[in-house]
Amino acid sequence: MSDVLDEAAVGIIRDFILAHTGILFDDRHTHDLCRHITSACTDLKIPPETCVQQVNDSSFQVRFLEVLVKYITIGETYFFRDKNLFLYLRDSLLPDLIRSRRQEHKLYLRIWSAACSSGEEPYSLAILLRYLLVDVDDWDIYLLATDINQQMLNRAQEGIYSRWSFRDDPLIPVGSFFSPTPDNRMKIDDSVRTMVRFERMNLIHDTSFYHAVGPSSLDLILCRNVLMYFSAEQSGEVVGHLIRSLRTGGYLIVSPQEIGLVQGQFIRMLHHGSVFLHEKVDQNIPGATEKITHTLSGTRYDDESKPVTRVIEGDLFQKPDIHDIADFPGDIFPAEENNSDQSSAVTYLLEPEDEGFDRLISENRLEEAGKMISQSGYQSSPHWVRQMEILIRAYAGNGEYDKALGWSDRLIAADVLNPRPYLLKAAVLDEQGLYNDSLQSLRQSLYAFPDYLPAHLAIAGIYKKTGRPDLARHHYELAIHILDSKDEDIILEETEGIPARKMKDMIQMLLGG
């Protein structure tokens, strides 16, 4: 809690933020909220207690909210963020849409990037369209980008970016779309910049904006990494507005962590590997009110085909060797079975159907096991989580990484603020050598819980084996700092009974080496 704001005062500001932005700060993020309030009040040159006193004054609300939004919204993004998604847009979704429009002799596209932050996402889409359309100037392209943070929109409209915004490998040659500036930054070309229309919008309150966009008119809406911060009620309202803005056959794309938040009629969820989309279907078709899930290749989740039997092996599935604990994220997962001889922070309560599920896994009948999970009425219960984790490991053990990642995303969506599922996804990515993607998942784990020790150890392990010892050392030192706040004899979560004292000794040995 802040030194100048008591619990009641923080609660008032929390309710104000929730009512005006939909962003929900739970008790785990109270410290962050206090920091944001203090920063906003410093900008306004008033003491924090004055903010609380004036928060119901309508004239003050506008100024306070505008400044506060700068701190409570996440500005972390970069060009072509989520490579798998943009690969799918480049190779499948957009080419198919373009081909269809050419056949219809209707050369137009309608796309909306909601919560666009500093503009890298909509500009990535614009670059992709210029790459795909040799006759781009003949097309009527409506590419809307909105955000609640005016400061971020100003940066986006300026179109000048540091090298950090290009930290992932480009999917297409982008050199012709940017020019260097004297201060070693990159400025986007006007041919791309003018394709995007930036507007300030509050997804919760600016409902008239949805009508201005036009009902049933958009081909594609990207609204990623924003729904997870809303309350359940408000995220549902936003999703409803977004779906109404789509044409029949149009797609809503959210982040993998948010797929569980997209509910409603006249949509079906499709997936291609780790890419998930929600398609608006014709409400006049019988049965269209059901939520349908299938792969974009046409294979349903309940496909009866059987994978090739293979023994599950590798670090991801073995009990950890404490001498190697820093080298692989999977090493710090608990074993799948319950062992009453070992202390563990993770305890699973077995349900009757677990026996049938475990038999399917042992027989490598993974599709049937997945169907059992989907039909379970115990979502987010301990045994449901246990089954999800076992299935993910089994798919990874078979080398079916796309399916392992798909189920990882479903597990994340069930509780986006639980750090553990991100750790499991990171292990699947790590096993494929996708270290940057693995690090991204681990960072999401730390956003959910900044002091999550297994994530810090996993990040350090990746940096260590990819030749970045200084960064590895940084996360080992953070782990030591976390352990300093714990009782020496406490059994740590996800370390197979290792006490805090022993773990600290191990990390210090690594630092010494």
Side-chain angles (χ1 to χ4, degrees), residues 75-124:
E76 169 64 16
T77 186
Y78 50 90
F79 283 94
F80 299 103
R81 183 179 184 180
D82 189 346
K83 183 179 292 185
N84 289 333
L85 169 61
F86 276 95
L87 281 171
Y88 180 71
L89 292 175
R90 183 195 71 180
D91 297 338
S92 298
L93 192 151
L94 288 176
D96 287 348
L97 179 57
I98 290 168
R99 189 179 307 109
S100 174
R101 290 289 157 79
R102 289 192 189 280
Q103 292 172 349
E104 298 168 357
H105 303 290
K106 297 176 180 179
L107 304 186
Y108 70 89
L109 295 169
R110 300 286 183 267
I111 300 173
W112 179 10
S113 168
C116 69
S117 188
S118 48
E120 285 93 331
E121 179 178 271
Y123 283 142
S124 296

Side-chain angles (χ1 to χ4, degrees), residues 110-112 142 213-214 216-221 245-247 250:
R110 300 286 183 267
I111 300 173
W112 179 10
Y142 178 79
V213 169
S216 304
S217 64
L218 296 174
D219 298 306
L220 181 65
I221 299 175
S245 298
L246 286 171
R247 64 169 176 82

Side-chain angles (χ1 to χ4, degrees), residues 118-162:
S118 48
E120 285 93 331
E121 179 178 271
Y123 283 142
S124 296
L125 291 167
I127 291 171
L128 208 52
L129 291 174
R130 296 197 76 86
Y131 175 76
L132 293 170
L133 292 168
V134 294
D135 56 345
V136 63
D137 293 333
D138 295 332
W139 285 69
D140 176 13
I141 296 175
Y142 178 79
L143 212 174
L144 174 67
T146 64
D147 201 273
I148 192 175
N149 188 331
Q150 186 60 54
Q151 186 178 48
M152 284 296 178
L153 289 174
N154 293 342
R155 285 177 53 188
Q157 289 172 319
E158 184 183 30
I160 298 177
Y161 296 94
S162 70

Side-chain angles (χ1 to χ4, degrees), residues 170-337:
L171 305 180
I172 59 177
V174 298
S176 60
F177 300 112
F178 295 89
S179 57
T181 64
D183 57 354
N184 199 33
R185 295 190 294 169
M186 301 295 287
K187 182 176 182 179
I188 200 159
D189 190 82
D190 283 346
S191 65
V192 176
R193 189 176 59 81
T194 55
M195 289 178 66
V196 184
R197 171 185 171 186
F198 290 98
E199 297 281 352
R200 185 178 184 185
M201 181 190 180
N202 183 325
L203 289 171
I204 297 296
H205 286 295
D206 294 342
T207 54
S208 60
F209 201 101
Y210 295 104
H211 299 295
V213 169
S216 304
S217 64
L218 296 174
D219 298 306
L220 181 65
I221 299 175
L222 280 76
C223 184
R224 302 191 294 159
N225 301 303
V226 60
L227 296 176
M228 69 176 75
Y229 301 111
F230 293 162
S231 66
E233 179 183 358
Q234 289 175 318
S235 66
E237 291 177 358
V238 170
V239 167
H241 287 305
L242 295 174
I243 291 172
R244 282 190 288 275
S245 298
L246 286 171
R247 64 169 176 82
T248 298
Y251 297 99
L252 169 63
I253 299 177
V254 299
S255 68
Q257 305 94 292
E258 298 169 316
I259 56 176
L261 303 176
V262 181
Q263 305 288 338
Q265 297 181 336
F266 317 127
I267 57 170
R268 60 176 176 176
M269 186 172 73
L270 309 101
H271 82 99
H272 178 78
S274 61
V275 177
F276 287 80
L277 308 93
H278 293 86
E279 181 186 19
K280 184 174 180 179
V281 298
D282 189 344
Q283 55 189 289
N284 296 316
I285 296 177
T289 58
E290 300 177 3
K291 185 175 181 181
I292 307 164
T293 304
H294 64 85
T295 64
L296 293 169
S297 61
T299 304
R300 298 181 61 89
Y301 274 120
D302 56 358
D303 191 337
E304 295 299 323
S305 61
K306 305 295 189 298
V308 177
T309 301
R310 177 183 168 205
V311 177
I312 298 176
E313 58 186 4
D315 292 340
L316 179 58
F317 313 102
Q318 297 173 351
K319 289 185 179 181
D321 179 344
I322 60 174
H323 301 293
D324 298 327
I325 196 163
D327 290 332
F328 187 64
D331 287 339
I332 51 180
F333 292 152
E336 295 165 6
E337 68 274 6

Side-chain angles (χ1 to χ4, degrees), residues 432-478:
Q432 300 173 76
L434 301 174
Y435 300 128
N436 288 335
D437 293 330
S438 182
L439 286 171
Q440 181 179 342
S441 186
L442 291 167
R443 292 187 188 107
Q444 289 173 311
S445 178
L446 291 179
Y447 183 81
F449 184 26
D451 289 342
Y452 191 48
L453 180 67
H456 283 291
L457 293 175
I459 290 173
I462 291 176
Y463 282 142
K464 178 171 175 276
K465 67 184 175 185
T466 55
R468 290 175 281 184
D470 290 343
L471 292 173
R473 172 175 289 275
H474 172 68
H475 281 275
Y476 283 139
E477 290 172 346
L478 289 174

